[in-house]
Amino acid sequence: MSEELTTPGTPGASEGQAVDKPISAAPSLYQRPKKGPIGELFAPVAGFGVTFTSIFRPTVTEQYPYVKVPTQPRYHGRHQLNRYADGLEKCVGCELCAWACPADAIYVEAASNTPNAQYSAGERYGRVYQINYLRCIFCAMCIEACPTRALTMNNDYEIWDETREDMIYTKDQILAPLEPGMLQAPHPMVEGMSDIDYYKGKVSGATEAQRAWVRENRPEDPSLDPTSLQATEVKK
């Protein structure tokens, strides 16, 4: 016997006994709409509509890599670990990006900040940060999971190399370069500021007390010059 979709609890012929009542779906849910005479006439060639509309369009060939077409502003390219305005890293080593990655392409090891080695605002920082671009599918789920907006994606799409090992980018390759006025970490947090103040954007730049600490511990640090721009080149 054929089975039908039923609903329980419908009173049947026998008293005190519930039987199932068949459910009938509306034909409009599964039947295709009928075409008119014109639709039936062009049905055999309807699948070539996109091809026919493109026949007389001019052919455009992008001359990459000699001519590079700019990407869209929100293009998901190479990852970048960002800094605060005073130079401290935003990454706190929480590993949420690694947990959110569906391709298991991110590896993070956290370490504790100390008074003599303060790399980020808070208790911990990302001591090891690696992204395997042989696995990465550029879905951007990692940047959605980041609680401090430390991880973002820029417009760099030229990610390639000759060996598999070199396709695993390390922290120094994706860490944002220093901007003018920033100090190279490690150095103390802004005096009187907590990690919450950092997250709220209350830090506008390095203070003189931070510069004095760096000058005492690393007198040759080039970031002490406020006019210098310490650009970190991506290693290939």
Side-chain angles (χ1 to χ4, degrees):
M1 297 179 63
S2 61
E3 297 182 357
E4 296 179 314
L5 294 175
T6 59
T7 55
T10 304
S14 302
E15 295 182 0
Q17 182 180 6
V19 296
D20 295 334
K21 181 180 179 180
I23 298 177
S24 58
S28 59
L29 297 178
Y30 57 86
Q31 290 182 352
R32 298 181 59 185
K34 292 184 179 180
K35 297 181 180 180
I38 299 179
E40 293 291 343
L41 177 63
F42 290 98
V45 294
F48 295 96
V50 176
T51 304
F52 291 151
T53 57
S54 304
I55 288 178
F56 302 102
R57 293 180 181 177
T59 302
V60 178
T61 302
E62 295 183 0
Q63 304 298 324
Y64 179 83
Y66 306 104
V67 179
K68 298 179 181 180
V69 179
T71 60
Q72 295 298 322
R74 295 178 64 87
Y75 176 82
H76 292 161
R78 183 175 58 84
H79 295 76
Q80 177 173 288
L81 287 175
N82 298 305
R83 302 174 183 267
Y84 288 108
D86 62 348
L88 288 180
E89 302 168 8
K90 289 187 175 183
C91 179
V92 294
C94 66
E95 304 181 27
L96 287 177
C97 54
W99 282 99
C101 180
D104 196 21
I106 301 178
Y107 176 76
V108 182
E109 282 187 11
S112 298
N113 287 313
T114 63
N116 294 326
Q118 183 85 31
Y119 287 91
S120 68
E123 298 180 358
R124 303 199 308 169
Y125 71 100
R127 184 179 65 87
V128 177
Y129 202 103
Q130 298 178 354
I131 297 181
N132 188 342
Y133 280 107
L134 294 175
R135 292 184 176 182
C136 180
I137 58 176
F138 299 92
C139 64
M141 293 183 67
C142 53
I143 65 176
E144 296 293 337
C146 183
T148 61
R149 303 301 297 167
L151 186 65
T152 55
M153 302 177 77
N154 58 27
N155 292 54
D156 183 13
Y157 57 87
E158 295 180 310
I159 304 174
W160 65 273
D161 217 297
E162 298 178 354
T163 63
R164 298 177 63 89
E165 292 79 8
D166 292 335
M167 288 301 294
I168 301 177
Y169 279 44
T170 55
K171 180 180 176 179
D172 60 328
Q173 293 175 280
I174 60 177
L175 187 61
L178 292 175
E179 297 181 2
M182 290 184 176
L183 289 175
Q184 180 65 47
H187 58 75
M189 298 170 57
V190 175
E191 53 276 13
M193 293 286 186
S194 65
D195 54 350
I196 302 298
D197 296 322
Y198 272 80
Y199 303 155
K200 291 182 178 180
K202 295 183 178 180
V203 177
S204 58
T207 63
E208 186 57 35
Q210 290 175 310
R211 297 186 183 279
W213 189 93
V214 175
R215 191 176 297 111
E216 179 182 354
N217 292 270
R218 300 193 308 273
E220 302 299 329
D221 195 318
S223 63
L224 288 172
D225 182 3
T227 62
S228 66
L229 179 62
Q230 303 298 322
T232 305
E233 297 292 338
V234 177
K235 298 181 180 180
K236 289 294 185 178

